[in-house]
Amino acid sequence: MSDNGELLDRLAAALAEVDGVLPAASLTDVSWLPKPVRGTAIELGSDLVEIRVIATELPLRPLADRVAAAVAPVLSGTAWADATVRLVVTELGAGALEEDRDARPSTRDSGGKS
């Protein structure tokens, strides 16, 4: 891989294939950049890869597992092959909460009694 930019692009492409998450860019206005930077949701540290996402479905554990599985092949053979992958959920999409709410029985229907 020629540089970290290419790695970030590949990680962002892998993340885009994972259902239930959207990249959460740390920059609010990227219009001034010369090209789209999907990788702004991803930071590479010396032994840490941090990925910020918006979760559009629950539960979170399976989402984290799918993200880890998607990025592992991209990281393989790089300086970050053994790095910790940290998934940071910056937001929950409204749809994730509504699906979860629909799955639970309403206490309002039973007067708060079980």
Side-chain angles (χ1 to χ4, degrees), residues 19-20 55-59 63 66 92-105:
D19 290 334
T56 60
E57 65 182 57
L58 294 172
L63 286 179
R66 290 199 310 258
L92 288 176
L97 297 175
E98 289 183 16
E99 287 177 26
D100 189 49
R101 186 181 315 135
D102 291 342
R104 287 182 279 157

Side-chain angles (χ1 to χ4, degrees), residues 24-78:
S26 58
L27 300 173
T28 55
D29 179 16
V30 294
S31 61
W32 58 272
L33 294 171
K35 67 175 188 168
V37 181
R38 296 180 300 169
T40 61
I42 303 166
E43 287 187 34
L44 301 172
S46 59
D47 59 351
L48 175 72
V49 177
E50 183 173 285
I51 303 172
R52 290 175 299 282
V53 299
I54 299 166
T56 60
E57 65 182 57
L58 294 172
L60 294 177
R61 172 51 67 188
L63 286 179
D65 292 344
R66 290 199 310 258
V67 169
V71 301
V74 177
L75 295 172
S76 179
T78 71

Side-chain angles (χ1 to χ4, degrees), residues 1-12 35 37 39 44:
M1 204 156 303
S2 61
D3 64 17
N4 291 351
E6 183 181 338
L7 177 59
L8 288 172
D9 286 345
R10 291 184 60 214
L11 287 168
K35 67 175 188 168
V37 181
L44 301 172

